[in-house]
Amino acid sequence: MSELNKDILRGGQFLVKETKCEDVFTPEDFSEEQMMMRDSVKEFVDREIWPNKPKFEAKDYALTEEVMRKAGELGFLGVSVPEEYDGLNMGFVSTMLVCDYISGATGSVATAFGAHTGIGTMPITLYGTEEQKKKYVPALATGQKFGAYCLTEPGAGSDANSGKTTATLSEDGKSYKINGQKMWISNAGFAEIFIVFARIENDKNITGFIVEFDRSNPNGITLGEEEHKLGIRSSSTRQVFFNDTVVPVENMLSERGGGFKIAMNALNVGRIKLAAACLDAQRRVITEGVKYANERVQFKTPIANFGAIKAKLAEMATACYVGESAAYRAAKNIEDRIAIRMAEGNSHQDAELKGVEEYAIECSILKVKVSEDVQKCTDEGIQIFGGMGFSEETPMESAWRDARISRIYEGTNEINRMLSVGMLVKKAMKGHVNLLEPAMAVADELMGIPSFDTPDYSELFSEEKEILGKLKKVFLMVAGSAIQKFGPELEQHQQLLMAASDILIEIYMAESTILRTEKNAKRFGEDAQAIQIAMAKLNLFNAIETITSKAKEGIVSFAEGDEQRMLLMGLKRFTKYANMPNVVALRTQIADKMNAENAYCF
């Protein structure tokens, strides 16, 4: 273990500690092996999925299953699974990479892949006994069998622990009988191994079970019809009914009452993977948009030459670049944290669980931001295509429909927004992130006289990094004042939490982007990174606009009189540029590069 890794930031600490650009991982740092993996996934998608888009839109569930089997044969389903269970045992960044590039062509395969590898296989890998892992994981890792995850019920969605499905121990103590109904179960139509959550007696928390489903001997399991959905049309989604389904006691996953914890930790991994799954969709949508804009002639000129279209393309590309920057930064932090724990003697299971749990805040941030960006991207994609964008003949409308689910599953974006701030406050209470002292320092600074010196900003990003530091003060100022006012009752004030979380999200995404670009400018030269520098600057400008608006909303809603005036003055002071960027010029520069390359090319 290098000493550097020992010092990696813990989850949430990005807010109060400075990160050097050398310490972040970027997509430009992929190893030879990772690039080969990425290229083989891209080749697979371009061969098996992209040409068949119309079939996926026509609800060809059999095709989704066939593509998943082929992905299993190539090892894509077992990337993160240890070798002793027939997996490839690659690190967390590589699992992100496969998830990213396999998900871009259609949400139907993205959902089937995510449900199988994430919540279908992973709970057994991370919580199963040695016997359970040997019995089930090899078939799942190779695509001989598929997994599904049965948590949601008609009355238990975001409140996952309130499920009514029961598990009753038999008189001889050898098995449980499961009774109940689950809904929105991805892969239900072809899965043979279900992770099912049920309550034993009056337990406070639900319990997880591994349930086999043999269609020739259904054991009390019946499936509802395929759901008719807005998007992800070839992803099998059904209700699953359990009627006295007998499950041997040795198929309990982890301990009794441990189901809620399994569900929550599976969601943390699911969240960062969902962010990855929204990236290649953006790359593909942007590339299709650029190509169309270059071909479509109106008023005797390709529409790509019009400023209104350039603005759209530049913002779409910037959001994608930002998402990549933050997603792979967090993925490598998780991978390093896992490595540290394994070096300290933790088992693979414990190391992975604790490694992901450490960055639960970042996982929620990424889930929210990237799922909202992919929606905007597909929406603008339709707009660039104009009337054709509304037609099923072009790929935009299906991309738009597929994108919509990503703001709902793995915990709605509203839940994730509140979680990100809630978890940060909890970490502060436990002493894992020192928020109190920095927040008090900001309060003192507000009482002092601001400096009117103009620093030397000749070095790349020197002003941007100074602004980032000030934006962190905005969060500490707003959240600190709100905590002071409401204390533990803060979680009752959801609108304030939502505003605070938007500030937190923008800070993490902007910092990740600036650090990635700074690192690459030092390596490859500023000229080679001119467009990436433009994207980092444009994104920071947009972030400041969002942060200003959300902070103002919070301040005027919980403070009044002198306190309100002081906080608003602080906000003004902390969001001020010395040198405003030329936003139109930045967007034009980014769009011109893509128009010349006829693709998303970063």
Side-chain angles (χ1 to χ4, degrees):
M1 287 307 304
S2 69
E3 283 310 302
L4 168 76
N5 286 351
K6 289 274 185 191
D7 293 335
I8 58 168
L9 292 192
R10 299 191 62 161
Q13 282 186 337
F14 70 89
L15 195 62
V16 290
K17 289 195 169 180
E18 196 180 339
T19 306
K20 293 189 174 74
C21 70
E22 292 77 14
D23 295 346
V24 297
F25 179 85
T26 77
E28 291 73 27
D29 293 312
F30 290 145
S31 66
E32 206 63 39
E33 181 189 41
Q34 284 166 333
M35 288 194 281
M36 280 166 64
M37 194 67 179
R38 177 191 66 191
D39 293 344
S40 63
V41 174
K42 275 164 81 170
E43 192 185 338
F44 173 74
V45 170
D46 287 332
R47 185 179 71 242
E48 302 287 346
I49 303 176
W50 188 254
N52 289 316
K53 262 184 91 69
K55 289 184 183 170
F56 288 109
E57 292 315 304
K59 302 186 182 179
D60 191 337
Y61 302 106
L63 179 60
T64 299
E65 186 181 349
E66 184 193 324
V67 164
M68 286 287 287
R69 288 214 191 277
K70 288 178 178 171
E73 286 160 19
L74 290 168
F76 299 153
L77 303 181
V79 181
S80 64
V81 173
E83 279 171 36
E84 58 265 40
Y85 313 112
D86 293 354
L88 298 180
N89 197 32
M90 293 172 88
F92 198 82
V93 171
S94 299
T95 67
M96 282 280 285
L97 197 57
V98 172
C99 183
D100 174 350
Y101 282 90
I102 208 163
S103 302
T106 165
S108 298
V109 172
T111 302
F113 178 85
H116 172 78
T117 55
I119 48 185
T121 307
M122 194 186 57
I124 308 178
T125 318
L126 296 187
Y127 287 97
T129 61
E130 196 50 46
E131 292 70 35
Q132 288 169 345
K133 287 191 281 191
K134 282 192 174 128
K135 183 173 180 184
Y136 296 110
V137 175
L140 290 166
T142 52
Q144 289 158 27
K145 291 189 173 174
F146 294 109
Y149 181 82
C150 303
L151 176 64
T152 304
E153 298 183 13
S158 295
D159 183 6
N161 205 25
S162 65
K164 303 276 188 287
T165 299
T166 58
T168 312
L169 190 62
S170 62
E171 283 178 15
D172 62 8
K174 288 185 177 169
S175 62
Y176 284 93
K177 270 190 180 159
I178 294 185
N179 284 285
Q181 167 187 6
K182 299 288 181 179
M183 70 189 301
W184 308 125
I185 307 308
S186 296
N187 296 353
F190 57 85
E192 293 156 275
I193 298 168
F194 290 157
I195 311 278
V196 181
F197 294 91
R199 194 175 311 280
I200 302 171
E201 294 170 352
N202 291 323
D203 286 1
K204 178 177 173 237
N205 290 327
I206 49 181
T207 299
F209 295 89
I210 304 169
V211 180
E212 295 181 45
F213 179 32
D214 175 356
R215 281 160 173 73
S216 61
N217 177 19
N219 184 15
I221 299 176
T222 50
L223 301 178
E225 291 296 309
E226 287 287 357
E227 299 286 352
H228 299 289
K229 307 186 295 289
L230 171 72
I232 55 169
R233 289 191 169 169
S234 284
S235 131
S236 172
T237 314
R238 297 183 172 202
Q239 292 199 46
V240 183
F241 302 92
F242 300 94
N243 186 2
D244 284 346
T245 299
V246 179
V247 182
V249 288
E250 59 268 23
N251 275 31
M252 182 188 286
L253 194 54
S254 185
E255 74 260 350
R256 176 172 172 171
F260 186 59
K261 196 168 145 195
I262 297 173
M264 290 305 101
N265 280 326
L267 285 172
N268 285 335
V269 182
R271 281 164 187 156
I272 188 168
K273 295 275 179 72
L274 182 68
C278 293
L279 292 172
D280 198 50
Q282 289 179 77
R283 293 185 202 104
R284 285 176 183 267
V285 164
I286 295 162
T287 292
E288 294 299 310
V290 171
K291 283 183 187 163
Y292 184 80
N294 274 328
E295 284 165 17
R296 172 74 171 160
V297 173
Q298 289 291 280
F299 309 104
K300 297 184 182 166
T301 181
I303 64 170
N305 294 337
F306 294 127
I309 300 294
K310 288 183 182 184
K312 291 183 189 307
L313 291 171
E315 294 287 356
M316 290 156 79
T318 298
C320 182
Y321 177 73
V322 168
E324 275 177 2
S325 307
Y328 285 102
R329 172 193 185 181
K332 184 68 163 86
N333 283 156
I334 291 171
E335 185 172 292
D336 287 347
R337 185 61 66 187
I338 292 168
I340 289 168
R341 285 193 167 270
M342 285 183 74
E344 288 168 356
N346 286 34
S347 68
H348 171 268
Q349 282 167 286
D350 285 347
E352 183 130 338
L353 276 171
K354 290 282 183 255
V356 174
E357 204 176 337
E358 177 66 58
Y359 295 98
I361 294 168
E362 287 79 356
C363 292
S364 280
I365 285 174
L366 283 159
K367 191 274 176 183
V368 170
K369 185 66 173 141
V370 187
S371 68
E372 291 179 1
D373 284 341
V374 75
Q375 187 80 62
K376 277 188 215 137
C377 181
T378 55
D379 197 69
E380 291 287 41
I382 289 179
Q383 198 68 12
I384 290 166
F385 273 68
M388 284 308 293
F390 207 70
S391 162
E392 287 184 5
E393 284 174 40
T394 61
M396 291 300 169
E397 65 86 37
S398 64
W400 182 84
R401 285 186 289 98
D402 283 355
R404 188 59 188 85
I405 187 63
S406 55
R407 284 155 54 198
I408 297 169
Y409 56 22
E410 308 291 1
T412 66
N413 283 10
E414 290 69 28
I415 289 276
N416 273 292
R417 277 188 161 88
M418 290 182 284
L419 266 178
S420 59
V421 179
M423 290 187 289
L424 185 64
V425 172
K426 278 194 184 108
K427 277 197 154 194
M429 303 290 187
K430 284 184 185 163
H432 291 177
V433 178
N434 178 5
L435 286 186
L436 194 62
E437 283 171 31
M440 284 163 68
V442 172
D444 290 345
E445 190 178 335
L446 288 178
M447 306 301 283
I449 297 166
S451 152
F452 293 105
D453 300 343
T454 308
D456 173 16
Y457 289 134
S458 52
E459 201 175 311
L460 177 68
F461 290 138
S462 47
E463 179 170 5
E464 285 76 10
K465 282 159 79 175
E466 187 182 295
I467 289 173
L468 261 179
K470 289 181 188 165
L471 296 179
K472 293 177 184 183
K473 289 177 183 177
V474 172
F475 179 85
L476 291 166
M477 173 179 85
V478 174
S481 305
I483 291 166
Q484 233 172 343
K485 179 147 194 166
F486 300 114
E489 263 77 75
L490 182 61
E491 54 190 46
Q492 308 305 316
H493 298 269
Q494 291 193 346
Q495 293 187 49
L496 292 179
L497 283 177
M498 302 274 282
S501 96
D502 279 334
I503 300 171
L504 189 67
I505 289 166
E506 293 296 341
I507 290 168
Y508 185 70
M509 304 304 285
E511 180 178 77
S512 302
T513 309
I514 286 169
L515 293 174
R516 171 190 182 180
T517 314
E518 183 189 12
K519 182 179 187 179
N520 289 331
K522 284 182 177 178
R523 278 195 285 204
F524 312 126
E526 288 184 28
D527 289 351
Q529 292 288 298
I531 309 300
Q532 287 86 338
I533 291 168
M535 289 197 281
K537 289 182 171 179
L538 176 61
N539 177 65
L540 183 66
F541 177 85
N542 291 340
I544 292 170
E545 293 298 296
T546 302
I547 288 171
T548 303
S549 149
K550 294 296 175 180
K552 189 184 283 182
E553 180 190 317
I555 290 166
V556 300
S557 302
F558 71 74
E560 41 198 33
D562 285 346
E563 185 196 7
Q564 186 189 92
R565 273 191 292 279
M566 186 181 73
L567 291 172
L568 288 172
M569 274 167 62
L571 176 61
K572 211 167 178 177
R573 188 197 302 185
F574 293 146
T575 50
K576 208 167 78 190
Y577 275 100
N579 307 287
M580 280 281 197
N582 179 336
V583 175
V584 169
L586 292 175
R587 289 193 195 125
T588 304
Q589 192 184 353
I590 298 160
D592 285 350
K593 172 71 173 167
M594 288 196 293
N595 289 340
E597 300 280 340
N598 208 24
Y600 176 83
C601 50
F602 310 109

